[in-house]
Amino acid sequence: GQSLEQPSEVTAVEGAIVQINCTYQTSGFYGLSWYQQHDGGAPTFLSYNALDGLEETGRFSSFLSRSDSYGYLLLQELQMKDSASYFCAFSNAGGTSYGKLTFGQGTILTVHP
Amino acid sequence: DVKVTQSSRYLVKRTGEKVFLECVQDMDHENMFWYRQDPGLGLRLIYFSYDVKMKEKGDIPEGYSVSREKKERFSLILESASTNQTSMYLCASSPDPGTDTQYFGPGTRLTVL
């Protein structure tokens, strides 16, 4: 079957670094992406990995290990505005699955002063 | 900027009513998606479309149908609304298959009484 596991909640303080892990199970894996959603808002794309390694976008980085079926989102220099839900999602290669995302249940990040 | 709009932000319907949720994107994207989002369950894919008049079932298509007569518009139809369809409905679009970047609309919070 297909599944994703990520922690339901993470808490950190302003200025700190936090890592949100995601493990997945699927056949025909293509890539792992991350989305941010503020309360009452729409999900917005953050980062994407199709190859092993680290992708950096400003304060946010995302890592993928295809052999371990594992990825993480790293948020540095946390700010209060980073308090939000974070979703990992994988895509599958081939046929009409191409472009379809399967989302995890989301991790609620709370940043304290 | 990519813009995805949804016809209503809030909607209240009665059990048994036929409900239409409309989604329009302005970036000539090939793929369009309908999700529902419920607390603790993340985003679950209902239907998606990779071309005009083409549709594919997602993970939870039961009780729903879709229509894509024009490239920019993707409609979700609840043939006979039920209380367990009370949810947040999110529409998204993305360019050619192979990209994991989806652009989401603001969502429609549907309540079925």
Side-chain angles (χ1 to χ4, degrees):
Chain A
Q2 298 189 115
S3 66
L4 293 111
E5 292 287 333
Q6 55 181 126
S8 57
E9 292 185 51
V10 173
T11 304
V13 296
E14 247 184 323
I17 299 172
V18 73
Q19 179 174 311
I20 300 174
N21 298 319
C22 174
T23 57
Y24 60 86
Q25 182 179 345
T26 185
S27 56
F29 174 84
Y30 187 79
L32 190 72
S33 54
W34 290 90
Y35 285 76
Q36 178 192 59
Q37 185 180 32
H38 285 100
D39 216 20
T44 56
F45 173 81
L46 284 178
S47 190
Y48 171 70
N49 297 71
L51 302 175
D52 285 357
L54 195 68
E55 292 284 339
E56 297 181 71
T57 311
R59 294 187 296 113
F60 294 0
S61 304
S62 59
F63 172 83
L64 176 66
S65 168
R66 296 173 70 100
S67 60
D68 295 322
S69 298
Y70 164 75
Y72 66 72
L73 179 69
L74 191 73
L75 297 85
Q76 303 182 74
E77 300 171 21
L78 279 173
Q79 301 174 12
M80 298 292 290
K81 67 178 182 179
D82 297 329
S83 292
S85 293
Y86 293 84
F87 295 89
C88 59
F90 64 71
S91 57
N92 297 101
T96 56
S97 292
Y98 220 29
K100 170 189 166 188
L101 293 180
T102 300
F103 284 82
Q105 295 180 355
T107 299
I108 299 172
L109 170 64
T110 304
V111 180
H112 292 293
Chain B
D1 273 355
V2 176
K3 193 163 186 183
V4 180
T5 56
Q6 295 184 227
S7 50
S8 304
R9 194 77 173 91
Y10 299 94
L11 207 54
V12 180
K13 295 292 181 180
R14 297 211 173 271
T15 302
E17 281 194 78
K18 190 168 186 176
V19 182
F20 292 87
L21 302 182
E22 304 283 336
C23 175
V24 178
Q25 50 96 1
D26 66 356
M27 283 301 291
D28 202 36
H29 284 171
E30 303 291 331
N31 300 338
M32 296 188 75
F33 308 84
W34 274 107
Y35 298 89
R36 64 177 283 177
Q37 184 174 25
D38 301 287
L41 296 178
L43 283 77
R44 293 182 291 166
L45 183 65
I46 304 170
Y47 267 97
F48 67 106
S49 168
Y50 53 91
D51 202 352
V52 175
K53 297 192 185 295
M54 304 304 290
K55 59 185 179 184
E56 291 283 334
K57 291 180 180 179
D59 300 315
I60 51 164
E62 296 79 19
Y64 303 94
S65 62
V66 290
S67 172
R68 193 162 181 205
E69 296 296 318
K70 293 185 178 181
K71 192 174 186 180
E72 68 270 19
R73 188 180 297 269
F74 192 35
S75 302
L76 180 70
I77 303 152
L78 288 67
E79 294 289 341
S80 177
S82 63
T83 55
N84 63 13
Q85 292 179 309
T86 292
S87 186
M88 171 67 83
Y89 289 88
L90 291 160
C91 174
S93 72
S94 72
D96 294 340
T99 174
D100 284 14
T101 307
Q102 293 189 8
Y103 299 88
F104 283 83
T108 296
R109 185 164 294 282
L110 172 67
T111 302
V112 183
L113 302 174

Coordinates of all heavy atoms in Angstrom, one line a residue, chain A residues 12-79:
Chain A
A12 N 8.9 24.5 19.0 CA 10.2 25.1 19.1 C 10.1 26.6 19.5 O 9.1 27.1 19.5 CB 10.9 24.9 17.7
V13 N 11.3 27.1 19.8 CA 11.4 28.6 20.1 C 11.9 29.4 19.0 O 12.6 28.8 18.1 CB 12.2 28.8 21.4 CG1 11.5 28.1 22.6 CG2 13.6 28.3 21.2
E14 N 11.6 30.6 19.0 CA 12.1 31.5 18.0 C 13.6 31.5 17.9 O 14.3 31.4 18.9 CB 11.7 33.0 18.3 CG 10.8 33.6 17.4 CD 10.5 35.1 17.8 OE1 10.4 35.4 19.0 OE2 10.3 35.9 16.9
G15 N 14.2 31.5 16.6 CA 15.6 31.4 16.4 C 16.2 30.1 16.4 O 17.3 29.9 16.0
A16 N 15.4 29.1 16.8 CA 16.0 27.7 16.8 C 15.9 27.0 15.5 O 15.4 27.7 14.5 CB 15.2 26.9 17.8
I17 N 16.3 25.8 15.4 CA 16.3 25.0 14.2 C 15.3 23.8 14.5 O 15.4 23.2 15.6 CB 17.6 24.4 13.8 CG1 18.6 25.6 13.5 CG2 17.5 23.5 12.6 CD1 20.0 25.2 13.3
V18 N 14.5 23.5 13.6 CA 13.6 22.3 13.8 C 13.6 21.5 12.5 O 13.7 21.9 11.4 CB 12.2 22.8 14.1 CG1 11.4 23.4 12.9 CG2 11.4 21.7 14.7
Q19 N 13.5 20.2 12.7 CA 13.5 19.2 11.6 C 12.2 18.4 11.7 O 11.8 17.9 12.8 CB 14.7 18.2 11.8 CG 14.7 17.2 10.7 CD 16.0 16.4 10.8 OE1 17.1 16.9 10.9 NE2 15.9 15.0 10.8
I20 N 11.5 18.3 10.6 CA 10.2 17.6 10.5 C 10.5 16.4 9.6 O 10.8 16.6 8.4 CB 9.1 18.4 10.0 CG1 8.8 19.6 10.9 CG2 7.8 17.6 9.8 CD1 7.8 20.6 10.3
N21 N 10.4 15.2 10.2 CA 10.7 14.0 9.4 C 9.5 13.4 8.7 O 8.3 13.6 9.1 CB 11.2 12.9 10.4 CG 12.5 13.3 11.0 OD1 13.4 13.9 10.4 ND2 12.6 13.1 12.3
C22 N 9.7 12.7 7.6 CA 8.7 12.1 6.8 C 9.2 10.8 6.3 O 10.2 10.7 5.6 CB 8.3 13.0 5.7 SG 7.1 12.3 4.5
T23 N 8.5 9.7 6.6 CA 8.8 8.4 6.0 C 7.7 8.0 5.1 O 6.5 8.3 5.4 CB 9.1 7.3 7.0 OG1 8.0 7.2 7.9 CG2 10.3 7.7 7.9
Y24 N 8.0 7.3 4.0 CA 6.9 7.0 3.1 C 7.0 5.6 2.6 O 8.1 4.9 2.7 CB 6.9 7.9 1.9 CG 8.2 7.9 1.1 CD1 8.5 7.0 0.1 CD2 9.3 8.8 1.4 CE1 9.7 7.0 -0.6 CE2 10.5 8.8 0.7 CZ 10.7 7.9 -0.3 OH 11.8 7.9 -1.0
Q25 N 5.9 5.1 2.1 CA 5.9 3.7 1.5 C 5.1 3.8 0.3 O 3.9 4.2 0.3 CB 5.3 2.7 2.5 CG 5.3 1.3 2.1 CD 4.7 0.3 3.1 OE1 4.6 0.7 4.2 NE2 4.4 -0.9 2.6
T26 N 5.7 3.4 -0.9 CA 4.9 3.4 -2.1 C 5.8 2.7 -3.2 O 7.0 2.6 -3.0 CB 4.6 4.9 -2.6 OG1 3.8 4.8 -3.8 CG2 5.9 5.6 -2.9
S27 N 5.2 2.3 -4.2 CA 5.9 1.7 -5.3 C 5.9 2.8 -6.4 O 5.0 3.6 -6.6 CB 5.3 0.4 -5.9 OG 3.9 0.7 -6.2
G28 N 7.0 2.8 -7.2 CA 7.1 3.8 -8.3 C 7.3 5.2 -7.8 O 6.8 6.1 -8.4
F29 N 8.0 5.3 -6.7 CA 8.2 6.7 -6.2 C 8.9 7.6 -7.2 O 9.9 7.2 -7.9 CB 9.1 6.5 -4.9 CG 9.5 7.9 -4.3 CD1 8.7 8.5 -3.4 CD2 10.8 8.4 -4.6 CE1 9.1 9.8 -2.9 CE2 11.2 9.6 -4.1 CZ 10.3 10.3 -3.2
Y30 N 8.5 8.8 -7.2 CA 9.1 9.8 -8.1 C 9.8 10.9 -7.4 O 10.9 11.3 -7.6 CB 8.0 10.4 -9.1 CG 8.6 11.2 -10.2 CD1 9.3 10.7 -11.3 CD2 8.6 12.6 -10.1 CE1 9.8 11.5 -12.3 CE2 9.1 13.4 -11.1 CZ 9.7 12.8 -12.2 OH 10.3 13.6 -13.1
G31 N 9.0 11.6 -6.4 CA 9.6 12.7 -5.7 C 8.9 13.0 -4.4 O 7.7 12.5 -4.2
L32 N 9.5 13.8 -3.6 CA 8.9 14.2 -2.3 C 8.8 15.7 -2.2 O 9.8 16.3 -2.5 CB 9.7 13.6 -1.1 CG 9.1 13.8 0.3 CD1 7.9 12.8 0.4 CD2 10.1 13.5 1.4
S33 N 7.7 16.2 -1.9 CA 7.6 17.7 -1.8 C 7.0 18.0 -0.4 O 6.5 17.2 0.3 CB 6.7 18.2 -2.9 OG 5.4 17.5 -2.9
W34 N 7.2 19.3 -0.1 CA 6.7 19.9 1.2 C 5.8 21.1 0.9 O 6.2 21.9 0.1 CB 7.9 20.3 2.0 CG 8.7 19.1 2.5 CD1 9.7 18.5 1.9 CD2 8.5 18.4 3.8 NE1 10.2 17.4 2.7 CE2 9.4 17.3 3.8 CE3 7.6 18.5 4.8 CZ2 9.5 16.5 4.9 CZ3 7.6 17.6 5.9 CH2 8.6 16.6 5.9
Y35 N 4.8 21.2 1.7 CA 3.8 22.3 1.6 C 3.6 22.9 3.0 O 3.6 22.1 4.0 CB 2.5 21.8 1.0 CG 2.5 21.6 -0.5 CD1 3.1 20.4 -1.0 CD2 2.0 22.5 -1.3 CE1 3.2 20.2 -2.4 CE2 2.0 22.3 -2.7 CZ 2.6 21.2 -3.2 OH 2.7 21.0 -4.6
Q36 N 3.4 24.2 3.0 CA 3.1 24.9 4.3 C 1.6 25.4 4.2 O 1.2 25.8 3.2 CB 4.0 26.1 4.4 CG 3.8 26.9 5.6 CD 4.6 28.2 5.6 OE1 4.4 29.0 4.6 NE2 5.5 28.5 6.5
Q37 N 0.9 25.3 5.3 CA -0.4 25.8 5.4 C -0.6 26.5 6.7 O -0.6 25.9 7.8 CB -1.4 24.7 5.2 CG -2.9 25.2 5.1 CD -3.9 24.0 5.0 OE1 -3.7 22.9 5.5 NE2 -5.0 24.3 4.3
H38 N -0.9 27.8 6.6 CA -1.2 28.6 7.8 C -2.7 28.4 8.1 O -3.5 28.1 7.2 CB -0.9 30.1 7.6 CG 0.5 30.4 7.7 ND1 1.3 30.6 6.6 CD2 1.3 30.6 8.8 CE1 2.5 30.9 6.9 NE2 2.6 30.8 8.3
D39 N -3.1 28.6 9.3 CA -4.4 28.4 9.8 C -5.4 29.2 8.9 O -5.2 30.4 8.8 CB -4.6 28.8 11.2 CG -5.5 27.9 12.0 OD1 -5.8 26.8 11.5 OD2 -6.0 28.3 13.0
G40 N -6.4 28.5 8.3 CA -7.4 29.2 7.5 C -6.9 29.5 6.1 O -7.6 30.1 5.3
G41 N -5.6 29.2 5.7 CA -5.1 29.5 4.4 C -5.0 28.3 3.5 O -5.3 27.2 3.9
A42 N -4.5 28.5 2.3 CA -4.3 27.5 1.3 C -2.9 26.9 1.5 O -2.0 27.6 1.8 CB -4.5 28.0 -0.1
P43 N -2.7 25.6 1.2 CA -1.3 25.1 1.2 C -0.5 25.8 0.1 O -1.0 26.1 -1.0 CB -1.5 23.6 0.8 CG -3.0 23.3 1.2 CD -3.7 24.6 0.9
T44 N 0.8 26.0 0.5 CA 1.7 26.6 -0.5 C 2.9 25.8 -0.6 O 3.4 25.3 0.4 CB 2.1 28.1 -0.2 OG1 2.6 28.1 1.2 CG2 0.9 29.0 -0.2
F45 N 3.4 25.6 -1.8 CA 4.6 24.8 -2.1 C 5.8 25.4 -1.5 O 6.1 26.6 -1.5 CB 4.8 24.7 -3.6 CG 6.0 24.0 -4.0 CD1 6.1 22.6 -4.0 CD2 7.1 24.8 -4.4 CE1 7.3 22.0 -4.4 CE2 8.3 24.1 -4.8 CZ 8.4 22.7 -4.8
L46 N 6.6 24.5 -0.8 CA 7.9 25.0 -0.2 C 9.1 24.4 -0.9 O 10.0 25.1 -1.2 CB 7.9 24.5 1.3 CG 7.1 25.2 2.3 CD1 7.3 24.5 3.7 CD2 7.5 26.7 2.4
S47 N 9.1 23.1 -1.1 CA 10.3 22.5 -1.6 C 10.1 21.1 -2.2 O 9.0 20.5 -2.0 CB 11.3 22.3 -0.4 OG 12.6 21.9 -0.8
Y48 N 11.0 20.6 -3.0 CA 10.8 19.4 -3.7 C 12.2 18.7 -3.9 O 13.2 19.3 -4.2 CB 10.2 19.7 -5.1 CG 10.2 18.5 -6.1 CD1 9.3 17.5 -5.9 CD2 11.0 18.5 -7.2 CE1 9.3 16.4 -6.7 CE2 11.0 17.4 -8.1 CZ 10.1 16.4 -7.8 OH 10.0 15.3 -8.7
N49 N 12.1 17.4 -3.7 CA 13.3 16.5 -3.9 C 12.9 15.3 -4.8 O 12.0 14.6 -4.4 CB 13.9 16.0 -2.6 CG 14.4 17.1 -1.7 OD1 13.6 17.8 -1.1 ND2 15.7 17.1 -1.5
A50 N 13.7 15.2 -5.9 CA 13.5 13.9 -6.7 C 14.8 13.1 -6.6 O 14.7 11.9 -6.7 CB 13.3 14.3 -8.1
L51 N 15.9 13.7 -6.2 CA 17.2 13.0 -6.1 C 17.6 13.1 -4.6 O 17.2 14.0 -3.9 CB 18.2 13.7 -7.0 CG 17.9 13.7 -8.4 CD1 19.0 14.5 -9.2 CD2 17.8 12.3 -9.0
D52 N 18.4 12.1 -4.2 CA 19.0 12.1 -2.9 C 19.8 13.4 -2.6 O 20.4 13.9 -3.5 CB 19.9 10.9 -2.7 CG 19.2 9.6 -2.6 OD1 17.9 9.6 -2.6 OD2 19.8 8.5 -2.5
G53 N 19.7 13.8 -1.4 CA 20.5 15.0 -1.0 C 19.6 16.1 -0.5 O 18.4 16.0 -0.2
L54 N 20.3 17.2 -0.3 CA 19.7 18.4 0.4 C 19.4 19.5 -0.7 O 20.3 19.8 -1.5 CB 20.7 18.9 1.4 CG 20.2 19.9 2.4 CD1 19.2 19.2 3.4 CD2 21.4 20.5 3.2
E55 N 18.2 20.0 -0.6 CA 17.9 21.2 -1.4 C 17.6 22.4 -0.4 O 16.9 22.2 0.5 CB 16.6 20.9 -2.2 CG 16.7 19.9 -3.3 CD 17.4 20.4 -4.5 OE1 17.4 21.7 -4.7 OE2 17.9 19.6 -5.3
E56 N 18.3 23.5 -0.7 CA 18.2 24.6 0.2 C 17.4 25.8 -0.5 O 17.8 26.1 -1.6 CB 19.6 25.1 0.6 CG 20.3 24.0 1.4 CD 21.7 24.5 1.9 OE1 21.7 25.3 2.8 OE2 22.7 24.0 1.3
T57 N 16.5 26.3 0.2 CA 15.8 27.5 -0.3 C 15.6 28.5 0.9 O 14.7 28.4 1.7 CB 14.4 27.1 -0.8 OG1 14.5 26.0 -1.6 CG2 13.7 28.3 -1.5
G58 N 16.6 29.4 1.0 CA 16.6 30.3 2.1 C 16.7 29.7 3.4 O 17.6 28.9 3.7
R59 N 15.8 29.9 4.4 CA 15.9 29.3 5.7 C 15.4 27.9 5.7 O 15.5 27.2 6.7 CB 15.0 30.2 6.7 CG 15.5 31.6 6.9 CD 14.7 32.2 8.0 NE 13.3 32.4 7.7 CZ 12.3 31.8 8.3 NH1 12.5 30.9 9.3 NH2 11.0 32.0 7.9
F60 N 14.8 27.5 4.6 CA 14.2 26.1 4.6 C 15.1 25.2 3.7 O 15.6 25.6 2.6 CB 12.8 26.1 4.0 CG 11.8 26.9 4.8 CD1 12.1 27.4 6.0 CD2 10.5 27.0 4.4 CE1 11.1 28.1 6.8 CE2 9.5 27.6 5.1 CZ 9.8 28.2 6.3
S61 N 15.3 24.0 4.2 CA 16.0 23.0 3.4 C 15.2 21.7 3.4 O 14.5 21.4 4.4 CB 17.4 22.7 4.0 OG 18.1 23.9 4.1
S62 N 15.3 20.9 2.4 CA 14.6 19.6 2.4 C 15.6 18.5 1.9 O 16.5 18.8 1.1 CB 13.4 19.6 1.5 OG 13.7 19.9 0.2
F63 N 15.5 17.4 2.6 CA 16.4 16.3 2.3 C 15.7 15.0 1.9 O 14.5 14.8 2.4 CB 17.2 16.0 3.6 CG 18.1 14.8 3.5 CD1 19.3 14.8 3.0 CD2 17.6 13.6 4.0 CE1 20.1 13.7 2.9 CE2 18.4 12.4 4.0 CZ 19.7 12.5 3.4
L64 N 16.3 14.2 1.1 CA 15.7 13.0 0.6 C 16.7 11.9 0.6 O 17.8 12.1 0.1 CB 15.0 13.1 -0.8 CG 14.5 11.9 -1.4 CD1 13.3 11.4 -0.6 CD2 14.1 12.1 -2.8
S65 N 16.3 10.7 1.1 CA 17.1 9.5 1.0 C 16.2 8.4 0.4 O 15.3 7.9 1.1 CB 17.7 9.0 2.3 OG 18.2 7.7 2.2
R66 N 16.3 8.2 -0.9 CA 15.4 7.2 -1.6 C 15.6 5.8 -1.1 O 14.6 5.1 -0.9 CB 15.6 7.3 -3.1 CG 15.3 8.6 -3.7 CD 15.7 8.7 -5.2 NE 14.9 7.8 -6.0 CZ 13.8 8.3 -6.7 NH1 13.6 9.6 -6.7 NH2 13.1 7.4 -7.4
S67 N 16.8 5.5 -0.7 CA 17.1 4.1 -0.2 C 16.4 3.9 1.1 O 16.1 2.7 1.4 CB 18.6 3.9 -0.2 OG 19.2 4.8 0.7
D68 N 16.3 4.9 1.9 CA 15.7 4.8 3.2 C 14.2 5.2 3.2 O 13.5 5.1 4.3 CB 16.4 5.7 4.3 CG 17.8 5.2 4.5 OD1 18.0 4.0 4.5 OD2 18.7 6.1 4.6
S69 N 13.7 5.6 2.1 CA 12.3 6.1 2.0 C 12.0 7.1 3.0 O 11.0 7.0 3.8 CB 11.3 4.9 2.1 OG 11.5 4.0 1.1
Y70 N 12.8 8.1 3.1 CA 12.8 9.0 4.2 C 13.2 10.4 3.7 O 14.1 10.6 2.8 CB 13.8 8.6 5.3 CG 14.3 9.6 6.3 CD1 13.4 10.0 7.3 CD2 15.5 10.1 6.2 CE1 13.8 10.9 8.2 CE2 15.9 11.1 7.2 CZ 15.1 11.4 8.2 OH 15.5 12.3 9.1
G71 N 12.6 11.4 4.3 CA 12.9 12.8 4.0 C 12.7 13.7 5.2 O 12.1 13.2 6.1
Y72 N 13.2 14.8 5.1 CA 12.9 15.8 6.2 C 12.9 17.2 5.7 O 13.5 17.5 4.7 CB 13.8 15.6 7.4 CG 15.3 16.0 7.2 CD1 15.7 17.3 7.0 CD2 16.3 15.0 7.2 CE1 17.1 17.6 6.8 CE2 17.6 15.2 7.0 CZ 18.0 16.5 6.8 OH 19.3 16.8 6.6
L73 N 12.2 18.1 6.4 CA 12.2 19.5 6.2 C 12.9 20.1 7.3 O 12.6 19.9 8.5 CB 10.8 20.0 6.1 CG 10.6 21.5 5.8 CD1 11.1 21.9 4.4 CD2 9.1 21.9 6.0
L74 N 13.9 21.0 7.0 CA 14.7 21.7 8.1 C 14.4 23.2 8.0 O 14.5 23.8 7.0 CB 16.2 21.4 7.8 CG 17.1 21.8 9.0 CD1 17.0 20.9 10.1 CD2 18.5 21.9 8.5
L75 N 13.9 23.7 9.1 CA 13.6 25.1 9.2 C 14.6 25.8 10.2 O 14.7 25.4 11.3 CB 12.2 25.4 9.7 CG 11.0 24.8 8.8 CD1 10.7 23.4 9.1 CD2 9.8 25.7 9.0
Q76 N 15.3 26.7 9.7 CA 16.3 27.4 10.5 C 15.9 28.8 10.8 O 15.0 29.4 10.2 CB 17.7 27.5 9.7 CG 18.2 26.1 9.2 CD 19.5 26.2 8.5 OE1 20.5 26.4 9.1 NE2 19.5 26.0 7.2
E77 N 16.5 29.3 11.9 CA 16.2 30.7 12.4 C 14.7 30.9 12.4 O 14.1 31.8 11.8 CB 16.8 31.7 11.4 CG 18.4 31.6 11.3 CD 18.9 32.5 10.2 OE1 18.2 33.5 9.8 OE2 20.0 32.2 9.7
L78 N 14.1 30.0 13.2 CA 12.6 30.0 13.3 C 12.1 31.4 13.6 O 12.6 32.1 14.5 CB 12.1 29.0 14.3 CG 12.1 27.6 13.8 CD1 11.8 26.6 15.0 CD2 11.1 27.4 12.7
Q79 N 11.0 31.7 13.0 CA 10.2 33.0 13.3 C 8.8 32.6 13.7 O 8.3 31.5 13.3 CB 10.2 33.9 12.0 CG 11.6 34.2 11.6 CD 11.6 35.0 10.3 OE1 10.6 35.5 9.8 NE2 12.8 35.2 9.7

